[in-house]
Amino acid sequence: MTDHSHIDDLDPAVFAQRVPPGFVFGTATSAFQVEGAVREGGRGPSTWDTFMAQPGRISDGSTAAIADDHYHRYREDVALMKELGLDAYRFSLSWPRIQHGGKGGANREGVAFYDRLLDELLAAGIRPMVTLYHWDTPEELQQTGGWMNRDTAKRLGDFAALAAEAFGDRVDQWVTINEPTTVTLNGYALGIHAPGHGMLFNALPAAHHQLLGHGYAVQALRAVGVPGGIGMTNVHSPVVSARDRMTDRFFANVFDTVHNRIFADPVLLGQYPKPPFGSGRLFRALSEVDDEDLKVIHQPLDFYGLNYYMPTRIRAGSPKTGETPDGEAEVMKEVPFSLEPFPEFAKTGFGWPVAPEYLAVTLGDMVERYGDALPPVYITEGGVSYPDARGATGAFHDDRRIDYLAEHLAIVLNGAPGIDLRGYFVWSLLDNWEWAAGFSQRFGLVHVDFDTLERTPKDSYRWLQAVLAAR
Ligand code: BGC
C-alpha cells in the first residue's frame, strides 16, 4: 500500500501557508441529493424519481424523497458554510422544480426557493456557483427519449435562458452541465443510474446531445448577458493499462476516449477525438455529427470545471462480474475489457482507490492535451466517502477524510505548470443521497443523521475551518 504521509504537517496554520491569495475554497452539492421535498413547491417529476422507485435500483432501497431536507433547512446549511469560512458554494438547480416538464414558463414557487437560497448565501458573503443540470431531467423529457433525443439539448438551452433571467444578477459562476460522462455511461450505457438503459456504445448520442445542450446553454446565458463566469464540469479519470500488452493498451485508450476525451475535446478544441486505431466502429455516432453542432459545443468559456475522484485501470477481456465503481451492471459482462483494482492504494468506503498522485497526472494530461485552449480551471468536485461513526464523545473523528483532503489539496495548491488553477470545491458539504448507493456512502464534511436530519460537523470540517481561518 502506498504511504501517503507526504503531507508531513497537517497543522492548519502550517497547511494554510500553501494557499495562494485569491484561491477559492468551496463545497459542492446537487439538488436531487440534498433537497428532498420532491412533491412540494409545485415541483414536477424527474427521471430520478422514477428510477429510484423501481425495485432493486438503489442498493439500500432508500429514496431521496426527503434526503437532507435542504429545501426546508437551507438556512441552517448556509450558516454551516459561513461558520466554515467558505468563499463559494456550488449547488444545482432542480430543473423540474423550476420548469415543469422542461418546457414553458417558470414555476414561481420553484424560483422563489432559489431566490431565498441565493439571498441567504450572498448575505453570508458566499459566492454562488450554480449548476444548471446535475442529472435530474424532467420526467416528461425522459418520456420522449431524454438525452437520446436531440430536442432535449434545445430544452436545456431554454432552461438556461429562464435561469439567467431569474438569477443572473446574483450568480457568480455558472456550470452548464455536470459530468455528462457519468450520465452517458452510468445512465444510458450501463443502466446503473437513471434512466437505467444498458445501451453500451449505442448510448453515444446521449453524450453528443448533452454537449450540444451545454453549447445552447452557454449561448443562452450570454444572450441574456449574465455578469457571472460560464463554464462546464467534466469528471476526469486517468486511464492506465493493466499489463504491458497491446490489447490492454488498446482498450485503455478506448476507455480514455469514451470517459475523458469525447467530453473534453469538443468543448475545448471543437472536435471529437480520433478513435484509437481499430475502434472507429464503436465511435461512429460521433464521427457522423454535423460541423455546425461542433461549433455550438465549442463556445469560449470563462473556466473549466474538473472533477477528480480516481484513476481507472483497464485489462482486455470481458469481466466475470458486472462490478463498476458505482454499482453492479449486468451488461458490463458484455464489454470486451474489465476495470481492474488498484491494490497498491488504500480504499474509500465505496472501494475507490485513494490516489492523489493521479490527480497530478490528470492535471498534466490537461496541459498536454489542451494547452492554451484550457481556460482557468476549478476543481469543482473532490472528496471521499467513509462510513463515519460517532465517537464516544459524540464527535465524528474522520481523520482519513482530513488526510484525503490534505493530500489532494496539496497537489492542487502546488500547482501545475501551464494550468491556471483557481479553486477547489469539496464534495460534499453534507452527507447526502448518493444516487444508486442511497444513504450508504457518506461524503460530507458535516454528518447528517438521516432519521432526525440533525447536522453535526465532523473533524474534517473543523480542520478545513481552521485552515481557512489561518489563510
Ligand atoms: C457527482 C456527484 C456524486 C459524486 C460521488 C460525482 O460524480 O457529480 O453527484 O455524488 O461524484 O459519487
Side-chain angles (χ1 to χ4, degrees), residues 33 134-135 178-179 307 309 352 381 427 434-435 443:
Q33 295 177 271
H134 198 130
W135 309 357
N178 177 71
E179 299 192 359
N307 293 354
Y309 286 94
W352 300 352
E381 280 179 39
W427 186 272
E434 176 51 37
W435 308 112
F443 278 87

Side-chain angles (χ1 to χ4, degrees), residues 201-262:
F201 278 84
N202 293 330
L204 286 179
H208 181 63
H209 296 147
Q210 285 179 86
L211 293 169
L212 201 56
H214 154 75
Y216 289 140
V218 177
Q219 288 177 339
L221 293 168
R222 299 246 189 254
V224 173
V226 295
I230 301 172
M232 82 167 294
T233 285
N234 274 320
V235 61
H236 286 257
S237 179
V239 184
V240 295
S241 62
R243 299 160 301 182
D244 189 17
R245 292 197 188 165
M246 223 170 74
T247 47
D248 285 10
R249 282 199 300 272
F250 169 74
F251 284 113
N253 236 323
V254 168
F255 192 83
D256 179 31
T257 305
V258 79
H259 189 286
N260 301 307
R261 298 199 78 135
I262 63 168

Side-chain angles (χ1 to χ4, degrees), residues 97-167:
R97 196 182 282 296
I98 295 182
Q99 193 190 34
H100 284 176
K103 276 186 187 141
N107 163 33
R108 285 220 330 268
E109 270 187 274
V111 169
F113 167 65
Y114 294 105
D115 276 339
R116 294 194 292 275
L117 175 58
L118 284 165
D119 292 346
E120 193 77 12
L121 287 166
L122 293 175
I126 298 166
R127 305 205 298 259
M129 180 188 267
V130 167
T131 306
L132 289 170
Y133 178 74
H134 198 130
W135 309 357
D136 46 355
T137 313
E139 177 59 21
E140 294 83 345
L141 295 186
Q142 198 61 58
Q143 293 304 320
T144 54
W147 288 112
M148 290 303 285
N149 182 348
R150 189 182 166 91
D151 183 59
T152 303
K154 274 271 184 236
R155 301 274 69 81
L156 186 67
D158 288 357
F159 175 57
L162 212 138
E165 293 287 359
F167 313 121

Side-chain angles (χ1 to χ4, degrees), residues 28 90 129 175 177-179 231-238 260 264 268 303-310 358-367 370 374-383 412 419-427:
R90 174 173 177 240
M129 180 188 267
V175 172
I177 48 176
N178 177 71
E179 299 192 359
M232 82 167 294
T233 285
N234 274 320
V235 61
H236 286 257
S237 179
N260 301 307
L268 296 171
F303 69 94
Y304 185 81
L306 190 155
N307 293 354
Y308 170 76
Y309 286 94
M310 67 191 130
Y358 278 98
L359 171 55
V361 171
T362 295
L363 297 178
D365 285 348
M366 293 304 288
V367 175
Y370 307 113
L374 192 60
V377 171
Y378 289 82
I379 305 301
T380 39
E381 280 179 39
V412 176
I419 178 166
D420 179 4
L421 284 163
R422 299 265 177 99
Y424 190 96
F425 289 72
V426 178
W427 186 272

